[in-house]
Coordinates of all heavy atoms in Angstrom, one line a residue:
K1 N -10.5 -12.1 5.1 CA -9.2 -12.1 5.5 C -8.1 -12.2 4.4 O -7.0 -11.8 4.6 CB -9.0 -13.2 6.5 CG -9.1 -14.5 5.9 CD -8.8 -15.7 6.9 CE -9.0 -17.0 6.3 NZ -8.7 -18.1 7.4
N2 N -8.6 -12.5 3.2 CA -7.7 -12.7 2.1 C -8.1 -11.7 1.0 O -7.8 -11.9 -0.2 CB -7.7 -14.1 1.6 CG -7.1 -15.1 2.6 OD1 -6.1 -14.9 3.1 ND2 -7.9 -16.1 2.9
G3 N -8.8 -10.5 1.4 CA -9.3 -9.7 0.2 C -8.1 -9.0 -0.6 O -8.5 -8.6 -1.7
F4 N -7.0 -8.8 0.0 CA -6.0 -8.1 -0.7 C -5.0 -9.1 -1.3 O -4.0 -8.7 -1.9 CB -5.2 -7.3 0.3 CG -6.0 -6.1 0.7 CD1 -6.5 -6.0 2.1 CD2 -6.2 -5.0 -0.1 CE1 -7.3 -4.9 2.4 CE2 -7.1 -3.9 0.3 CZ -7.5 -4.0 1.6
S5 N -5.2 -10.4 -1.2 CA -4.2 -11.4 -1.8 C -4.4 -11.6 -3.2 O -5.6 -11.9 -3.6 CB -4.4 -12.8 -1.0 OG -3.6 -13.7 -1.5
L6 N -3.4 -11.4 -4.0 CA -3.4 -11.6 -5.5 C -2.8 -12.8 -6.0 O -2.6 -12.9 -7.2 CB -3.0 -10.3 -6.2 CG -3.4 -9.0 -5.7 CD1 -2.7 -7.8 -6.4 CD2 -5.0 -8.9 -6.0
G7 N -2.4 -13.7 -5.1 CA -1.4 -14.7 -5.5 C -0.1 -14.5 -5.1 O 0.4 -13.4 -4.9
F8 N 0.7 -15.6 -4.9 CA 2.0 -15.5 -4.3 C 3.0 -14.6 -5.0 O 3.6 -13.7 -4.4 CB 2.7 -16.9 -4.2 CG 4.1 -16.8 -3.6 CD1 4.3 -16.7 -2.2 CD2 5.1 -17.0 -4.5 CE1 5.6 -16.7 -1.7 CE2 6.4 -16.9 -4.0 CZ 6.6 -16.9 -2.6
S9 N 3.0 -14.7 -6.4 CA 3.9 -13.8 -7.1 C 3.6 -12.4 -7.1 O 4.4 -11.5 -6.8 CB 3.9 -14.3 -8.6 OG 4.7 -13.5 -9.5
K10 N 2.3 -12.1 -7.2 CA 1.9 -10.6 -7.2 C 2.1 -10.1 -5.7 O 2.4 -8.8 -5.5 CB 0.5 -10.4 -7.7 CG 0.4 -10.7 -9.2 CD -0.9 -10.5 -9.7 CE -1.1 -10.8 -11.3 NZ -2.4 -10.6 -11.8
N11 N 1.7 -10.9 -4.8 CA 1.9 -10.4 -3.4 C 3.4 -10.1 -3.1 O 3.7 -9.1 -2.4 CB 1.4 -11.6 -2.5 CG -0.1 -11.7 -2.5 OD1 -0.7 -10.9 -3.0 ND2 -0.5 -12.9 -1.9
L12 N 4.3 -10.9 -3.6 CA 5.7 -10.7 -3.4 C 6.1 -9.4 -4.1 O 7.0 -8.6 -3.6 CB 6.5 -11.9 -3.9 CG 8.0 -12.0 -3.5 CD1 8.2 -12.2 -2.1 CD2 8.7 -13.1 -4.4
R13 N 5.7 -9.2 -5.3 CA 6.0 -8.0 -6.0 C 5.5 -6.8 -5.4 O 6.1 -5.7 -5.6 CB 5.5 -8.2 -7.5 CG 6.4 -9.1 -8.3 CD 5.5 -9.6 -9.6 NE 5.0 -8.5 -10.3 CZ 4.1 -8.6 -11.2 NH1 3.5 -9.7 -11.4 NH2 3.6 -7.6 -11.8
Q14 N 4.4 -6.9 -4.7 CA 3.9 -5.6 -4.1 C 4.9 -5.1 -3.0 O 4.9 -3.9 -2.8 CB 2.6 -6.0 -3.4 CG 1.3 -5.7 -4.3 CD 0.1 -5.3 -3.6 OE1 0.0 -5.5 -2.3 NE2 -0.9 -4.8 -4.3
V15 N 5.6 -5.9 -2.3 CA 6.5 -5.6 -1.3 C 7.9 -5.3 -1.9 O 8.5 -4.3 -1.5 CB 6.6 -6.6 -0.1 CG1 7.7 -6.2 0.8 CG2 5.3 -6.8 0.5
F16 N 8.4 -6.1 -2.8 CA 9.8 -6.0 -3.3 C 9.8 -5.3 -4.7 O 10.9 -5.0 -5.1 CB 10.4 -7.4 -3.4 CG 10.7 -8.0 -2.0 CD1 9.7 -8.9 -1.4 CD2 11.8 -7.7 -1.4 CE1 10.0 -9.4 -0.2 CE2 12.0 -8.3 0.0 CZ 11.2 -9.1 0.5
G17 N 8.7 -5.2 -5.4 CA 8.8 -4.5 -6.7 C 9.0 -5.5 -7.8 O 9.2 -6.7 -7.7
D18 N 9.0 -4.9 -9.1 CA 9.1 -5.7 -10.2 C 10.6 -5.9 -10.6 O 10.8 -6.9 -11.3 CB 8.5 -5.0 -11.5 CG 7.0 -5.0 -11.3 OD1 6.4 -5.9 -10.7 OD2 6.3 -4.0 -11.6
E19 N 11.5 -5.1 -10.2 CA 12.9 -5.2 -10.5 C 13.6 -6.1 -9.5 O 13.9 -5.8 -8.3 CB 13.6 -3.8 -10.5 CG 13.0 -2.8 -11.5 CD 13.3 -3.2 -12.9 OE1 14.4 -4.0 -13.1 OE2 12.7 -2.8 -13.9
K20 N 13.9 -7.4 -10.0 CA 14.5 -8.3 -9.0 C 15.9 -7.9 -8.6 O 16.4 -8.3 -7.5 CB 14.6 -9.7 -9.8 CG 13.2 -10.3 -10.0 CD 13.3 -11.7 -10.5 CE 11.9 -12.3 -10.7 NZ 12.0 -13.7 -11.3
K21 N 16.6 -7.1 -9.4 CA 18.0 -6.7 -9.0 C 17.9 -5.8 -7.8 O 19.0 -5.7 -7.1 CB 18.6 -5.9 -10.1 CG 17.9 -4.6 -10.6 CD 18.5 -3.9 -11.7 CE 17.8 -2.7 -12.1 NZ 18.5 -2.1 -13.4
Y22 N 16.9 -5.2 -7.3 CA 16.7 -4.5 -6.1 C 16.2 -5.2 -4.9 O 16.0 -4.7 -3.8 CB 15.9 -3.2 -6.4 CG 16.4 -2.3 -7.4 CD1 15.6 -1.9 -8.5 CD2 17.7 -1.8 -7.3 CE1 16.1 -1.0 -9.4 CE2 18.1 -0.9 -8.2 CZ 17.4 -0.6 -9.2 OH 17.9 0.3 -10.3
W23 N 15.8 -6.5 -5.1 CA 15.0 -7.2 -4.0 C 15.9 -7.4 -2.8 O 15.4 -7.3 -1.7 CB 14.7 -8.6 -4.5 CG 13.4 -8.5 -5.4 CD1 12.8 -7.4 -5.9 CD2 12.6 -9.6 -5.8 NE1 11.7 -7.7 -6.7 CE2 11.5 -9.1 -6.6 CE3 12.7 -11.0 -5.7 CZ2 10.6 -9.9 -7.1 CZ3 11.8 -11.8 -6.2 CH2 10.7 -11.3 -6.9
L24 N 17.2 -7.7 -3.0 CA 18.1 -7.9 -1.8 C 18.8 -6.7 -1.4 O 19.6 -6.8 -0.3 CB 19.1 -9.0 -2.2 CG 18.6 -10.4 -2.7 CD1 19.7 -11.3 -3.0 CD2 17.7 -10.9 -1.5
L25 N 18.5 -5.6 -1.9 CA 19.2 -4.3 -1.5 C 18.2 -3.4 -0.7 O 17.0 -3.4 -1.1 CB 19.7 -3.5 -2.6 CG 20.7 -4.1 -3.5 CD1 21.2 -3.3 -4.7 CD2 22.0 -4.5 -2.7
P26 N 18.6 -2.8 0.4 CA 17.7 -1.9 1.2 C 17.5 -0.6 0.5 O 17.7 0.5 1.0 CB 18.5 -1.7 2.5 CG 19.6 -2.7 2.5 CD 19.9 -3.0 1.1
V27 N 16.9 -0.7 -0.7 CA 16.3 0.5 -1.4 C 14.9 0.3 -1.6 O 14.4 -0.8 -1.8 CB 17.1 0.7 -2.7 CG1 18.6 1.0 -2.5 CG2 17.0 -0.5 -3.7
F28 N 14.1 1.5 -1.6 CA 12.7 1.3 -1.7 C 12.3 1.0 -3.2 O 12.7 1.6 -4.1 CB 12.1 2.7 -1.4 CG 10.5 2.6 -1.3 CD1 9.8 2.1 -0.3 CD2 9.8 3.1 -2.4 CE1 8.5 2.1 -0.3 CE2 8.5 3.0 -2.4 CZ 7.8 2.5 -1.3
S29 N 11.5 -0.1 -3.3 CA 11.1 -0.6 -4.6 C 9.7 -1.1 -4.5 O 9.3 -1.8 -5.4 CB 12.1 -1.7 -5.2 OG 12.1 -2.8 -4.2
S30 N 8.9 -0.9 -3.5 CA 7.5 -1.4 -3.3 C 6.7 -0.8 -4.3 O 6.9 0.3 -4.7 CB 7.1 -1.3 -1.9 OG 7.9 -2.0 -0.9
L31 N 5.6 -1.5 -4.8 CA 4.7 -0.9 -5.7 C 3.7 -0.1 -5.0 O 3.3 -0.5 -3.9 CB 4.0 -2.1 -6.5 CG 5.0 -3.0 -7.4 CD1 4.2 -4.0 -8.1 CD2 5.8 -2.1 -8.4
G32 N 3.1 0.9 -5.7 CA 2.0 1.6 -5.3 C 2.4 2.9 -4.5 O 3.6 3.2 -4.3
D33 N 1.5 3.5 -3.9 CA 1.7 4.7 -3.1 C 1.3 4.5 -1.7 O 1.3 5.5 -0.9 CB 0.9 5.9 -3.8 CG -0.6 5.7 -3.9 OD1 -1.0 4.6 -3.4 OD2 -1.3 6.5 -4.4
G34 N 0.8 3.4 -1.3 CA 0.4 3.2 0.1 C -1.0 3.5 0.4 O -1.5 3.2 1.5
C35 N -1.6 4.3 -0.5 CA -3.1 4.8 -0.2 C -4.1 3.9 -0.8 O -5.2 3.9 -0.3 CB -3.1 6.2 -0.7 SG -2.2 7.4 0.2

């Protein structure tokens, strides 16, 4: 059930990205390609 968990910090970056300036803006910044 936790096979994709990489730790809190990396899990957060997967959704919001590496650039913190985009975290609170509705612009796509998630990491990866979804596949």
Side-chain angles (χ1 to χ4, degrees):
K1 64 180 181 180
N2 297 302
F4 293 106
S5 180
L6 306 174
F8 177 78
S9 177
K10 293 181 179 180
N11 294 342
L12 190 67
R13 285 160 51 196
Q14 275 210 339
V15 176
F16 291 95
D18 291 326
E19 298 290 337
K20 293 184 179 180
K21 60 183 178 181
Y22 297 123
W23 282 12
L24 300 180
L25 297 177
V27 294
F28 185 80
S29 59
S30 301
L31 298 181
D33 58 0
C35 292

